[in-house]
């Protein structure tokens, strides 16, 4: 006697952002989040300007809000959206009262006639306002790009030495120094 194998049940994906009750509960939060992002250059940057405890409390509330959204609980989503709005207000107040420098730290660099703004910290990138046509990079990105270039040179060198065993191969500078 042959047994039929049971097909696994498929569950259709439901997008919580298609549920009007969920979205309606989130709209005031999205407005508050946009306002804070515009003022501070992003929520992550705002969180970096306050105490770790306050930042963690907001992070916890935000995680609970995301869980309520995923569970399609519109009442809990609306309640937690209110908690997060109050959390954004608390972050804003604490950052304003901390008397720290709110300006993102960046340096202006020119290399081979091209201008760049280089953010000291990647977290400041969204807050930096650059003139049209001037790219904004972070110091971390430049260091990562340098590592990629150096690793690429080493990989190419290794491949050539493998293909031409016994050959003495090295890279010679092109005269153009890397800008980092």
């Amino acid at each position: 006697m042959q047994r039929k194998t049971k097909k696994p049940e498929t569950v259709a994906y439901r997008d919580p952002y298609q549920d009007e009750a969920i979205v309606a509960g989130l709209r005031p939060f999205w407005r508050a989040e946009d306002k804070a992002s515009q003022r501070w250059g992003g929520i992550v940057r705002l969180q970096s300007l306050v105490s770790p405890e306050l930042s963690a409390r907001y992070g916890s509330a935000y995680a609970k809000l995301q869980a309520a959204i995923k569970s399609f609980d519109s009442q809990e989503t609306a309640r937690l959206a209110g908690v997060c709005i109050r959390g954004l207000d608390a972050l804003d107040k604490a950052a304003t009262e901390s008397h720290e420098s709110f300006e993102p730290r960046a340096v202006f660099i020119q290399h081979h006639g091209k201008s760049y703004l280089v953010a000291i910290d990647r977290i400041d990138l969204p807050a930096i306002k650059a003139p049209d046509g001037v790219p904004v990079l972070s110091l971390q990105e430049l260091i990562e790009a340098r590592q990629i270039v150096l690793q690429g040179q080493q990989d190419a060198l290794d491949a050539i030495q493998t293909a031409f065993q016994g050959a003495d191969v090295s890279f010679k500078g092109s005269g153009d120094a890397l800008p980092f």
Side-chain angles (χ1 to χ4, degrees), residues 40-59:
W40 296 102
I43 301 304
V44 173
R45 183 168 185 270
L46 172 57
Q47 286 179 275
S48 75
L49 298 171
V50 301
S51 72
E53 296 81 13
L54 181 57
S55 180
R57 282 199 317 262
Y58 176 78

Side-chain angles (χ1 to χ4, degrees), residues 107-118 134 179:
V107 292
F108 184 76
I109 296 176
Q110 284 195 320
H111 184 338
H112 291 291
K114 182 137 174 89
S115 299
Y116 302 88
L117 266 174
V118 179
V134 176

